[in-house]
Amino acid sequence: MAKDNNGYKDTDDKLPRAKRVKNKAPAPVQITAEQLLREAREGQEGEIRPPQQQINDATELADFRLRMRKGFEDQVRRQKQNAYVWIKYARWEESQKELDRARSVWERLLEVDYRNHTVWVEYAAMEMKNKTINHARNVWERAVQLLPRVDQLWYKYIHMEEMIGNVARAREIFRRWMDWMPDQQGWIGFIKFELRYNEVDHARAIFEQFVQCHPKADAWIRYAKFEMKNGDLARVRDVFQTAVDMLDNVEGAEQLFLAFAEFEEGCKEIERARSIYKLGRDRIPKGMAAALYRMFEEFEERYGDKQGIEDAVVNKARFKYEQEVRKDPLDYDAWFGYIRLEENAGNKEKIRRVYDRAIANVPPAQEKRYWQCYIYLWINYALMCLELIPHKKFTFAKMWILAAEFEIRQLKLESAHKILGTAIGKAAKGKIFKKYIEIEWQLCNADRCRKLYENYLHWSPKNCYAWIRYAEFEKRICDTERARSVYELAIGQKQLDKPELLWKSYIDFELAEREFERARNLYGRLLERTRHVKVWISYAAFEASAMVGGDGMRSEDVIEQKEQCIQRARRVFERASDYFRTSAPELKEQRSMLLEQWLNMEKEFGDFGDVTLVQAKLPRRLKRKRPIVIKDGVSAGFEEYIDHLFPEEALNTNCKLFEAAYNWKRRKDSSAEDGDDKET
């Protein structure tokens, strides 16, 4: 077969070969997304609008319609699920007075998506606009049969029938709708429809069905107000009584009792109203009937003897609580309820008597879970149980704090000091120290606060929170040297619960004082204790931002200082990288994290940064497998993990491969020479 000068056969496709990209490194000048969008926008041409077309005869009109229909058909073929394209097509056919074609488009759209109720509404609106009522009625009938839960379809259908004066058909549609048990607005719309035509009996019958479908307090109240407007008081009372019998302790029951009582009060039936208030208080829990209690009090202030009603209710509740506490004397919840009842009644002797009976029921064992409810009885009863609690086994800081606060409210500061001092001596707790210090700080007793902090730290020397708060206290009273001394004592402790928070607070303190050399020294001391990667990163971030000087510096000085900060930060990163490379080669993940932070910081430096310093040190991420070993050295398969291969490791690997190849070649040559000697 013949070939041309380039070596191609006649049948070969003479296509350009793909060029291999040799340099895949990023370009020094990067193109941003904003630049691409701006160039694309500038290269856009103006909007091309079709020219206006003038149609002169039927032939041109037919051609125009043919072109438009072809365009619409192409659109609906490409975007079959886009209802807007179909609707636009149908409206155009309607504008051409081609109703049959428009109906065909609507029907095709409904075959695609009949669940879109907007399509039905638009379809029926077209029929109504063109006064084809039977067609519109047909559309609405199909819509409400397929989508009976869409209220808008029913509303529109009924509105059309009502607008053309077909009230009977509108009523029938409403009844069909109510069979689906819609929400309250549907029923209210039906009732308003009947009232527009003065069909009160029909409206009453609908209300009867309404409250059966939605047995809620607001539905019954609406029903009663309807009867009030019609002036039938006996019916109103029957409605309220039926509602009260059906509803018990449900949401909105309070409003029902209030409306019932307000109605009876308006009818001058004072005793009836009082009985309703009393019934509501008996049925509804007090926590859910605040408005009912308030309105009852106002009612009694206007019409009757409040004390008589209160005594009756309290006696009934008192009998209930007596039965509960006799059945189980250790039921402290019942005692709390009994005490609250007597406190509401206001009889101090009865309150004191109930408290004495309650605290006499001491928990059966010295375990904290039995005492957790019991202690609150004492808290409420003048805080007298401090001597009773076994503080050597356990204590409650809240008891001591509440007792001290009580003494402060009585303006007895010495007694409060004595209580808190006793608490620290018997059973010291962090909450007690904190509260005692807070009280002394509010009283501006700096010496007492300092003494308390010293005792606090003597009791818990490894508590970093206490050390930090002590140093912050010294800083607040503007004693910087004392604050620094506290920090020094703190970091000198052998054991600390959260040393990282303490060191961070100390460094932040020096930075706030703009003592950069001291902060730099602290980082150096911290690195002697731990070489965690986060410490290195924080140190480098500090160096990158540690600029000395104020706002009045010259721009040349600012640039010079910024360059110095960047150099110091780079030295920190280089020290850290050398440490992880030489002293901790097993911490590959921390070393990789360090280099990533270094790279990000170089990028943030902008024109001052140099990412090439870091890119040569970045590792390659390799996915490897390692065996899963369970008990007794038995392997249970393999798991994948991400390994980091640094440049020096890759070089060592290549050297080992070359050495192995050299040894293999040398052994092969030696074997060949031995064979030759044997043949000789």
Side-chain angles (χ1 to χ4, degrees):
M1 188 175 291
K3 297 184 180 180
D4 59 7
N5 296 330
N6 295 325
Y8 289 102
K9 296 180 181 179
D10 292 340
T11 58
D12 292 342
D13 294 335
K14 299 179 181 180
L15 299 176
R17 294 185 177 180
K19 301 294 184 180
R20 295 186 61 185
V21 179
K22 297 182 178 180
N23 185 8
K24 297 184 180 180
V29 179
Q30 297 291 322
I31 300 176
T32 63
E34 181 182 0
Q35 182 179 352
L36 292 174
L37 293 175
R38 184 173 63 253
E39 292 176 356
R41 186 168 57 253
E42 291 174 354
Q44 287 180 351
E45 298 180 356
E47 182 180 359
I48 300 175
R49 297 183 179 180
Q52 293 184 354
Q53 184 177 2
Q54 185 175 0
I55 299 174
N56 297 319
D57 54 20
T59 303
E60 292 182 358
L61 178 61
D63 292 340
F64 167 72
R65 288 178 175 175
L66 182 60
R67 289 195 305 272
M68 292 296 294
R69 288 191 182 106
K70 185 177 182 305
F72 279 121
E73 289 293 340
D74 292 340
Q75 289 183 10
V76 298
R77 191 182 304 112
R78 290 192 301 267
Q79 306 179 45
K80 188 175 182 180
Q81 301 298 328
N82 189 348
Y84 174 74
V85 176
W86 290 94
I87 293 172
K88 187 177 179 181
Y89 187 8
R91 287 176 178 173
W92 180 84
E93 292 288 1
E94 181 188 0
S95 68
Q96 300 298 312
K97 306 301 181 183
E98 295 284 351
L99 296 183
D100 290 337
R101 287 182 176 274
R103 292 189 187 103
S104 176
V105 175
W106 287 113
E107 293 295 337
R108 290 166 62 192
L109 173 56
L110 290 175
E111 290 178 0
V112 174
D113 185 11
Y114 74 92
R115 295 182 181 276
N116 189 347
H117 68 276
T118 305
V119 176
W120 293 99
V121 173
E122 294 288 340
Y123 189 5
M126 181 200 76
E127 299 290 2
M128 291 189 293
K129 184 168 62 175
N130 291 280
K131 299 182 180 179
T132 53
I133 302 301
N134 287 331
H135 282 285
R137 186 176 290 122
N138 181 33
V139 173
W140 289 125
E141 282 291 335
R142 292 163 58 196
V144 297
Q145 288 178 8
L146 292 173
L147 304 173
R149 294 296 181 184
V150 181
D151 295 346
Q152 184 182 9
L153 299 176
W154 293 100
Y155 279 123
K156 295 282 187 180
Y157 190 9
I158 294 165
H159 179 68
M160 183 194 76
E161 297 292 354
E162 192 174 2
M163 290 297 292
I164 64 177
N166 196 346
V167 179
R169 188 173 182 84
R171 182 179 291 112
E172 180 62 26
I173 296 169
F174 258 124
R175 288 173 179 168
R176 288 167 54 195
W177 185 16
M178 296 306 108
D179 292 339
W180 289 95
M181 295 183 180
D183 58 7
Q184 293 193 15
Q185 293 301 320
W187 291 93
I188 294 170
F190 193 8
I191 293 167
K192 290 181 178 179
F193 167 81
E194 296 292 358
L195 293 178
R196 282 199 296 271
Y197 299 99
N198 296 322
E199 295 290 347
V200 178
D201 292 336
H202 288 179
R204 183 176 291 112
I206 296 167
F207 261 119
E208 291 288 343
Q209 300 175 15
F210 176 32
V211 295
Q212 295 297 326
C213 181
H214 297 280
K216 296 182 179 179
D218 55 347
W220 286 100
I221 293 172
R222 191 182 293 272
Y223 187 11
K225 289 182 178 179
F226 161 76
E227 296 294 357
M228 289 181 196
K229 290 181 180 179
N230 292 290
D232 194 338
L233 300 183
R235 286 183 180 273
V236 176
R237 189 171 287 114
D238 290 340
V239 170
F240 273 125
Q241 289 177 352
T242 305
V244 169
D245 293 338
M246 292 183 63
L247 302 180
D248 188 12
N249 244 355
V250 299
E251 183 180 0
E254 180 187 29
Q255 297 300 323
L256 178 64
F257 280 102
L258 288 175
F260 194 4
E262 183 180 356
F263 162 73
E264 295 293 357
E265 185 179 353
C267 296
K268 306 301 180 183
E269 295 287 346
I270 306 303
E271 291 302 323
R272 283 179 177 270
R274 181 177 287 112
S275 300
I276 293 165
Y277 277 120
K278 181 178 179 180
L279 181 63
R281 290 181 54 171
D282 291 341
R283 287 193 178 185
I284 305 175
K286 188 173 181 179
M288 300 173 58
L292 184 67
Y293 277 77
R294 185 178 66 254
M295 295 300 295
F296 187 27
E297 292 175 1
E298 295 177 0
F299 172 82
E300 289 295 342
E301 289 177 0
R302 291 193 299 270
Y303 298 106
D305 184 8
K306 176 183 174 182
Q307 189 62 38
I309 299 296
E310 290 288 342
D311 289 343
V313 175
V314 169
N315 286 332
K316 184 175 181 180
R318 185 181 291 120
F319 177 75
K320 172 187 172 184
Y321 282 121
E322 282 289 343
Q323 288 182 328
E324 292 181 359
V325 298
R326 287 177 181 174
K327 183 178 180 181
D328 185 6
L330 298 177
D331 185 1
Y332 298 117
D333 292 333
W335 284 111
F336 283 126
Y338 199 176
I339 291 167
R340 284 194 296 269
L341 175 68
E342 296 297 348
E343 288 176 346
N344 291 332
N347 191 326
K348 294 183 179 180
E349 288 298 326
K350 290 184 178 180
I351 296 172
R352 190 175 293 111
R353 194 179 306 123
V354 174
Y355 265 121
D356 290 336
R357 291 173 57 194
I359 62 177
N361 299 286
V362 181
Q366 290 187 357
E367 296 183 16
K368 191 170 184 177
R369 59 192 180 93
Y370 294 114
W371 290 70
Q372 285 178 339
C373 292
Y374 177 70
I375 62 166
Y376 283 96
L377 290 171
W378 283 96
I379 291 174
N380 294 333
Y381 191 27
L383 305 174
M384 296 170 57
C385 66
L386 288 176
E387 297 297 331
L388 186 62
I389 297 175
H391 299 291
K392 292 183 179 180
K393 291 186 177 181
F394 59 85
T395 189
F396 298 91
K398 184 179 293 186
M399 292 294 300
W400 298 101
I401 293 171
L402 289 174
E405 289 177 345
F406 170 77
E407 296 294 346
I408 292 173
R409 288 195 297 270
Q410 304 300 318
L411 302 180
K412 298 180 179 179
L413 297 180
E414 291 300 326
S415 299
H417 291 157
K418 184 177 180 181
I419 290 173
L420 292 175
T422 305
I424 292 174
K426 284 188 174 182
K429 275 196 168 186
K431 291 182 179 180
I432 299 175
F433 278 109
K434 294 175 186 177
K435 188 63 179 179
Y436 201 175
I437 293 169
E438 178 185 348
I439 293 172
E440 296 298 345
W441 174 254
Q442 292 174 353
L443 296 173
C444 301
N445 292 330
D447 293 335
R448 280 182 178 269
C449 291
R450 188 175 287 119
K451 186 64 176 176
L452 286 171
Y453 272 121
E454 292 174 358
N455 293 336
Y456 190 2
L457 293 170
H458 180 73
W459 172 69
S460 179
K462 63 180 181 179
N463 190 341
C464 289
Y465 170 84
W467 286 106
I468 294 171
R469 293 304 299 269
Y470 189 10
E472 291 176 351
F473 159 76
E474 296 292 354
K475 182 180 177 182
R476 277 188 292 177
I477 61 176
C478 302
D479 198 337
T480 306
E481 292 303 322
R482 273 185 176 272
R484 188 173 287 115
S485 301
V486 171
Y487 276 122
E488 289 293 336
L489 288 174
I491 62 177
Q493 299 298 315
K494 294 182 179 180
Q495 291 184 350
L496 293 171
D497 54 359
K498 296 180 180 179
E500 65 279 2
L501 297 181
L502 179 63
W503 281 93
K504 183 179 182 302
S505 178
Y506 193 3
I507 293 171
D508 291 342
F509 163 77
E510 296 293 357
L511 292 178
E513 297 293 327
R514 301 192 65 79
E515 294 286 348
F516 294 137
E517 286 300 327
R518 291 180 180 271
R520 190 173 289 112
N521 183 32
L522 283 176
Y523 272 114
R525 295 164 62 186
L526 179 58
L527 288 173
E528 293 176 358
R529 298 193 178 194
T530 176
R531 298 295 183 92
H532 196 274
V533 65
K534 291 185 178 180
V535 178
W536 288 107
I537 294 172
S538 176
Y539 189 10
F542 154 72
E543 292 291 4
S545 60
M547 294 183 62
V548 181
D551 297 334
M553 294 177 60
R554 295 182 305 172
S555 59
E556 295 83 358
D557 296 338
V558 172
I559 293 174
E560 182 181 358
Q561 283 205 22
K562 189 169 184 179
E563 291 177 349
Q564 293 176 359
C565 291
I566 292 172
Q567 293 300 326
R568 288 196 296 267
R570 284 173 180 163
R571 285 196 292 271
V572 172
F573 276 121
E574 289 173 355
R575 286 177 55 196
S577 179
D578 293 340
Y579 163 74
F580 285 112
R581 179 172 54 84
T582 59
S583 301
E586 71 280 359
L587 302 177
K588 294 184 177 182
E589 189 172 354
Q590 293 190 19
R591 183 181 174 188
S592 176
M593 185 189 305
L594 176 77
L595 294 174
E596 289 177 0
Q597 291 293 328
W598 189 1
L599 181 62
N600 294 335
M601 190 170 292
E602 291 290 348
K603 293 178 180 179
E604 292 174 359
F605 290 154
D607 296 336
F608 297 94
D610 187 0
V611 295
T612 58
L613 296 174
V614 192
Q615 289 175 345
K617 300 181 180 182
L618 291 174
R620 291 169 50 199
R621 294 178 180 270
L622 303 176
K623 184 181 290 187
R624 294 182 174 177
K625 292 184 178 181
R626 58 189 172 193
I628 302 175
V629 180
I630 56 178
K631 290 183 177 181
D632 301 330
V634 179
S635 177
F638 293 87
E639 64 175 354
E640 291 185 351
Y641 71 99
I642 301 298
D643 192 12
H644 299 82
L645 184 65
F646 290 91
E648 67 274 7
E649 294 177 338
L651 182 60
N652 294 335
T653 303
N654 293 333
C655 291
K656 291 179 180 179
L657 289 174
F658 284 125
E659 183 179 356
Y662 175 74
N663 293 332
W664 175 79
K665 178 66 174 174
R666 188 174 59 182
R667 287 195 302 270
K668 185 176 180 182
D669 294 341
S670 300
S671 299
E673 291 177 358
D674 294 340
D676 293 340
D677 294 339
K678 291 179 180 179
E679 291 178 359
T680 302

